[in-house]
Amino acid sequence: MRRSSQIPLVAREEQVAGFRRSFDRAASGEPGVLLVGGDAGVGKTRLVTHLAATAEEAGGRVVVAHCVDLGEIGIPYLPFTEALGQLQRPAGADSTDDVAACVAELVAERPALARLLDPAGPRQAADDQHAERLPLLDGVASALTAVGRPGAPLVLVIEDLHWADPSTRDVLRFLVTRLRSEHLLLVLTYRSDDVDRRHPLRPLLAELHRSERVDHVELEPFTTAELRAFTTALNDAPLPEAEFAQVLRRSEGNAFFAEELVAAGLATGTLPWSLADVLHARMQDLAPAVQQLVRLASVAGRQVREDLLRAAAERTAGLEDPAATAAALRDAVTHQVLGVEGAHLAFRHALLAEALYLDLLPGERTTMHLAYLAALTASPGLGSAAERAHHAQQGHDLPTALEASYDAAAGARDLLAPTEELRHLEQVLSLWGSVPDAAERVGADRVDVALDAAAAASRAGQPNRAVQLTRRAIESLPDDPRRQAGLRHVLARYLLDVQEDMSEATQETELALAALPDDPTATLAATLSVRGRIELNGDDDDAAREFLERAVDVARRAQAPDAEADALASLAVLEVGDPGTAARLIESAMDRAIDAGNLGAELRCRYNLATTWYYAGRLDLAEDLLRQGLARAAETASTRSSVGTAMRMIAELLRYVRGDLTPAAPRDGVPALEATVLEGAGLYAAVARGDDHVLDRTAALQKEWDVDGFVALTSGGCRIDALTWAGRQEEAVALAGAVVDHLGAVWSTYFLGRIWISALALAALADAAESAPGGGSAAQQAERRAAGDDLLSVARQTAERGRPRGGVLGPEGRAWLARAEAEHARLVAASGGEAADPSVWEAAVREFSYGYRYEVARSRFRWAQALRAAGDRTAAELEGVEALTEAQRMGARPLADAVLAWARRARIAVPGTRRESSTTLTEREEQVLTLVAQGLSNRQIGEHLFISTKTVSVHVSNVLAKLGVSGRAEAVAVATRRGLLTV
């Protein structure tokens, strides 16, 4: 029979047509991504092989790269290393290739790319370990996007994405988000059946699916008709009906399994029941040497370098003769068990390699892994340290596995791949007890390795793991109190990232300071600096200044620029009462941190500088500084660090404050703590937009209040606001009390966010009073007034006693205090007191005008209501129009709806309001209906309007007739719904 590679593609016409459309768009400068998913064996490779041939025939340049399965041991950026390596080589042996020259020039200009393509090259110096990651990502993207030409795009195929390492996934995120007008088409394949809900690829797939540049193809098994056409083409004739029925039943339309079943069945006269049986049937036709070689190849996975396979074969029984190995290779290719893919030999499908590997006896697997290990040890250029570690681990050569894992970690660190670095170092730690001379082999003791792993965990966004590793390192030194003391500041620093309670971090620094000598050392300076940060977080500015100034002095005497920069970065925070002075100090500290190569201190300075201007109300400057800080974090693979998360959180808040209410970019694939913090920051805009499930989202975060105080504040405050919009004012007020109790215990009684919480609770009380008929009973009015008085008093006390750093309440705090005052006035008016003075809402608008766009619009709406109640209809109309226009521009649906509903009731002309025709009430009828809504009888209404009870009865009858209702309560409800009831 023929093989599938020898026949035209069967079915898949729709997928091919979609690829041609994507290819044509890329040829015209509209780059894209084609995701090809499907179960193992369904025909993904066959399809993309056809697509690659189609692209080449159309003039495109095609590069095929692969991800490989090395279990827990990954090779950072592997498919991109493979792709760039191919692009550096001329397309034809006898031709000059402008593409190869262009890529080679780019690699020569970018050391990060050169390091990627030459892992055996010189390693970075220790003081350069935080070299920028962005040039590496940008270099990969630049090299790929420089290849395509108009009419001749680059088609980059990456197969088996389900095996992609974390850094490869990061490159794809980076690349896809930056596609603009390049002549580039990415074709990515993955096994759908392997990607369960916990698979690390799943978040990336979710992100890609949301991109408008991504098309998704999910290959389904062949239908009966398609399978019949496929097997007919393989067999050059239709299969007998009974045999076809068996192929259909057993393969269930899976192309690869069907092909193997047909091949085995035709050769033996019987159809095997499983893929393993298929392979046994296939292997029986091969010579013993070929069978041994194919088994050896399966140990490397689907693909293996030919030179590596030959080198391993020389160390494998039955394949020692190079000539015999060469003959066996030719036979394996001839029988289509193996194929040629560039410099690699590959199984036609990964299922073949997997089934063969699983069929090996344990002793055979060990021996063959050791053969690869020996080949890689003798010639390191044949593979990476990660591959050596993998084969050593599987071959049970634990000392070599430890050494190779340590080397692989160093390589990952050079490439700024902290997740892979952490995996390799944890592998080293797991092997440590099994290798007696481990320290001599790697040149470091177990404590140092654990600290390196903790640092990698911190950079990878796993702060709890960093704490765990550091704590265990300290606990492993019970007989060395001096060294323990020298490590406690490291643990305290990580604890600051994960704990609200500073007690453990404080205890660690106290233990360290008690054990460390007073001599000026870098360790003492670092410990003092961390202790100063702890005091800053605890709002003890005097103690913080004392520790930090001492840290600077010790650091200078000890010539410890890292510790000096860290302490200066914290000292600058104490000067935020004068933003200009604080900014100059932070800039000075940042320069010192950069000179010292202290990335952590540098990023903290960038964050502090941005937030200094944010809280000073200089939003343009803060936004620009945050953009620079986030770019620096991305360059250094620090986006998921604690300070990187903090910058992203502030950036999300700033985006909302400036009126951008669009949903945040996807946060899939980030650590749980980071995702929770960013989810909390995104709730402000979600409430303002009126998202359907925002109450569910805020409720879901309530169980995370103990994780981070910021989460409790944001999710709690936003839920109060959302409940108020939903008309559930009593729940909103009760929740405000719960938020205050929780954060009062975690932070302090007068935490500054309490002003915001108080203002929101006052708004809920005012809404409740306005919506109650007649403002509610006297008891209800008195209860609301008392609660409102308490809330306003607390807001005022918090502004005075909350001790904002620098002693000056910032523009946001002043604005929320003004809103609290205005909401209290609205509550008083709705509870039977004097009408609110419009000037209180004018003051709120003025205070929020530093740049808080949404709250300006909301306060302007309330100002318009107060103006209308005061009789200034013209001014009310002006402010109402402005509030509605802004709400609609921002997409603030609840606010826009509220303005429109009020404008209809108040007969204020704003866009979107209209008067009723046949059911329009007269002014007197509106007055009567308003008093009816307050629960007054006809007699009381007459006394109030100075008309007779009979006349009131006539007006009431007219109102009921015009509204088409039969009762007073129904009239009030219908008039409210139609916007006819005057406030």
Side-chain angles (χ1 to χ4, degrees), residues 26-203:
S28 63
E30 294 182 38
V33 180
L34 181 62
L35 272 175
V36 182
D39 293 348
V42 79
K44 299 182 297 297
T45 298
R46 171 81 172 114
L47 174 63
V48 298
T49 300
H50 178 83
L51 299 182
T54 301
E56 289 182 332
E57 290 172 3
R61 179 72 176 263
V62 179
V63 172
V64 181
H66 307 80
C67 302
V68 298
D69 181 17
L70 289 182
E72 292 299 315
I73 306 299
I75 305 176
Y77 314 104
L78 178 62
F80 294 101
T81 304
E82 182 183 359
L84 293 178
Q86 293 181 48
L87 289 171
Q88 276 191 295
R89 295 191 293 270
D94 300 323
S95 64
T96 58
D97 191 336
D98 291 340
V99 167
C102 174
V103 173
E105 183 178 348
L106 278 170
V107 171
E109 292 173 352
R110 298 171 184 256
L113 278 185
R115 199 163 57 245
L116 178 65
L117 293 171
D118 183 16
R123 183 166 294 166
Q124 289 178 263
D127 60 356
D128 195 27
Q129 63 178 321
H130 294 303
E132 298 176 357
R133 192 188 197 196
L134 184 59
L136 175 59
L137 302 181
D138 186 59
V140 172
S142 297
L144 295 176
T145 56
V147 172
R149 301 287 186 271
L154 170 66
V155 178
L156 173 60
V157 179
I158 299 180
E159 291 209 72
D160 300 320
L161 201 61
H162 49 280
W163 289 329
D165 57 275
S167 294
T168 290
R169 298 194 294 269
D170 287 343
V171 174
L172 285 173
R173 288 187 177 95
F174 179 88
L175 185 58
V176 172
T177 57
R178 281 156 180 77
L179 292 177
R180 296 294 181 269
S181 58
E182 299 81 4
H183 302 283
L184 174 65
L185 176 61
L186 300 177
V187 181
L188 313 173
T189 75
Y190 67 96
R191 287 190 195 173
S192 304
D193 49 339
D194 274 8
V195 183
D196 58 29
R197 63 186 182 88
R198 295 187 177 182
H199 195 284
L201 181 63
R202 194 176 182 90

Side-chain angles (χ1 to χ4, degrees), residues 871-903:
D872 193 342
R873 189 186 190 93
T874 301
E877 183 174 303
L878 290 173
E879 299 305 328
V881 169
E882 184 67 21
L884 178 62
T885 301
E886 275 289 87
Q888 290 174 334
R889 285 175 178 170
M890 287 184 287
R893 180 173 54 82
L895 177 57
D897 290 348
V899 176
L900 282 170
W902 165 76

Side-chain angles (χ1 to χ4, degrees), residues 899-908 912-914 978-980:
V899 176
L900 282 170
W902 165 76
R904 283 192 291 267
R905 294 194 304 271
R907 301 292 184 83
I908 294 293
T913 60
R914 61 182 178 84
R978 295 183 183 180
L980 301 174

Side-chain angles (χ1 to χ4, degrees), residues 713 740 750-762 791 794-800 802 804 809 812-820:
L713 178 64
V740 166
Y750 295 104
F751 63 94
L752 287 176
R754 193 169 183 180
I755 302 175
W756 175 50
I757 298 297
S758 298
L760 293 177
L762 279 163
L791 286 167
V794 164
R796 289 170 174 169
Q797 291 178 54
T798 301
E800 294 175 0
L809 195 63
E812 184 176 6
R814 294 195 302 270
W816 281 109
L817 183 60
R819 169 130 180 240

Side-chain angles (χ1 to χ4, degrees), residues 448-460:
D448 287 335
V449 174
L451 293 175
D452 286 344
S458 178
R459 294 195 302 274

